[in-house]
Amino acid sequence: MKQRILLVLMVIVGIFSITGCGKSKNKDLPKLENNSECCNGCMCGDTMELLKNTETAWTLTEINSKGEYVYDRYSFINFHGTGKNKFAFYKNDENGNTISEIRGELVINKQDEITLIPNDNNNEKITCKIGEEKDLIAILYCDNDFGTFTLQKEGTLELPSIIKDTISNTKTIVIKGNQSDYKNKIITEEKEINMLLLVINSSKVWTGPVTLPSPLYEMELFDANYNSIAKIVYNPNHYFDIEINDKDYELTNIDKDSLNAILAN
């Protein structure tokens, strides 16, 4: 689990490094402290202003029948990365091999109409428009079957019900510490379980980049039938990652004092 989560985090940070958004005034405190300030060059603020003035990489995305975003993590369109008012689209396979590449000019008029003009004259002009933002995810629709693209902006979101509903079924918590002097714990006492659930329920979801040292603690939550319902990896001042149904959520606004009391031997 640890290796998979860290790989996902590395991909996220890699995208932010492409867009120039990995900058932070204090890289050790982007997540666990109450800091909602938008740093210079970070991926937040007005979407159109970002599109006009900031190097950004938008992920190729499909919207399924449930209205959910399905990401092609290997393919993206980059704005301004190859020069001011330029774009470059990269369609890659899962091994990172380029299937197709389109480069050209980016034109945004005073009415915020977006036009992509490929350098290859065999490709028609492409018109794109900004869609409604949801959960800090900006969306870009492009015609001529060029595709739909999304940009995850930085910020905090309210804790989704999937987390609250899932962890409410917790009856056992297994804690493993990745330190030689730490004694692993199994928690079944309701009072201690409720302390951890309160820590999680009082947090928020962070959508920006994180630093990537190895986790110091790994926690697994089980229901009454001892089915695993959630997994957590935690490194103080860097990240608190909870995985539910194969989806990872980075949490911020963590009550570290209460959490440390639970983790203490």
Side-chain angles (χ1 to χ4, degrees):
M1 172 189 169
K2 177 178 70 177
Q3 289 82 357
R4 187 179 69 78
I5 287 176
L6 291 181
L7 177 60
V8 171
L9 295 177
M10 288 176 70
V11 170
I12 293 173
V13 170
I15 291 175
F16 278 106
S17 66
I18 291 173
T19 63
C21 296
K23 301 174 184 177
S24 173
K25 289 185 177 179
N26 190 329
K27 291 186 178 180
D28 289 337
L29 303 175
K31 291 179 42 52
L32 300 182
E33 300 296 329
N34 243 328
N35 183 7
S36 59
E37 181 182 1
C38 182
C39 63
N40 181 31
C42 287
M43 199 53 53
C44 49
D46 181 76
T47 300
M48 186 55 71
E49 288 302 312
L50 287 172
L51 190 59
K52 290 178 180 178
N53 302 311
T54 307
E55 182 185 347
T56 53
W58 298 61
T59 304
L60 184 62
T61 305
E62 292 185 3
I63 302 175
N64 65 19
S65 59
K66 298 180 181 178
E68 299 169 330
Y69 296 145
V70 180
Y71 303 106
D72 178 349
R73 299 290 187 185
Y74 308 99
S75 303
F76 62 94
I77 184 169
N78 179 277
F79 297 107
H80 306 301
T82 58
K84 185 64 177 175
N85 297 327
K86 304 282 187 179
F87 80 90
F89 169 69
Y90 303 94
K91 176 69 176 176
N92 301 318
D93 63 21
E94 351 182 288
N95 297 317
N97 301 311
T98 300
I99 299 172
S100 64
E101 178 180 326
I102 300 175
R103 294 171 177 256
E105 300 288 330
L106 165 68
V107 177
I108 303 176
N109 65 20
K110 293 181 180 179
Q111 288 72 44
D112 288 340
E113 296 173 336
I114 304 162
T115 303
L116 307 181
I117 307 172
N119 293 335
D120 185 348
N121 293 328
N122 293 324
N123 291 308
E124 299 179 12
K125 291 182 180 180
I126 302 159
T127 300
C128 302
K129 63 178 181 178
I130 298 290
E132 183 178 356
E133 184 175 307
K134 180 182 178 182
D135 293 337
L136 292 176
I137 298 176
I139 189 163
L140 187 68
Y141 300 101
C142 298
D143 65 6
N144 291 339
D145 296 321
F146 190 61
T148 297
F149 301 86
T150 53
L151 175 71
Q152 177 66 73
K153 295 161 71 176
E154 295 181 26
T156 55
L157 301 171
E158 294 300 319
L159 202 70
S161 58
I162 181 64
I163 295 181
K164 296 179 179 180
D165 294 343
T166 300
I167 67 172
S168 67
N169 298 311
T170 302
K171 297 300 180 183
T172 302
I173 301 170
V174 175
I175 302 176
K176 298 179 181 179
N178 296 322
Q179 306 152 84
S180 58
D181 59 344
Y182 187 82
K183 296 179 181 178
N184 296 339
K185 300 175 66 173
I186 298 177
I187 298 175
T188 56
E189 186 178 337
E190 185 175 0
K191 181 179 178 180
E192 286 192 85
I193 290 174
N194 288 339
M195 283 178 63
L196 180 60
L197 302 192
L198 180 60
V199 168
I200 296 173
N201 284 325
S202 300
S203 69
K204 293 186 178 182
V205 173
W206 169 252
T207 64
V210 296
T211 50
L212 297 175
S214 297
L216 296 185
Y217 302 96
E218 299 179 32
M219 293 167 262
E220 192 160 5
L221 280 54
F222 297 88
D223 64 14
N225 296 317
Y226 212 73
N227 296 311
S228 177
I229 57 175
K231 297 178 181 179
I232 297 167
V233 289
Y234 173 56
N235 188 305
N237 295 330
H238 295 287
Y239 56 82
F240 184 106
D241 178 288
I242 181 167
E243 177 193 339
I244 295 176
N245 295 334
D246 294 323
K247 183 173 181 179
D248 292 294
Y249 303 86
E250 295 297 329
L251 303 188
T252 186
N253 292 72
I254 297 294
D255 181 349
K256 292 187 287 186
D257 291 337
S258 297
L259 185 56
N260 290 339
I262 298 166
L263 297 172
N265 281 316

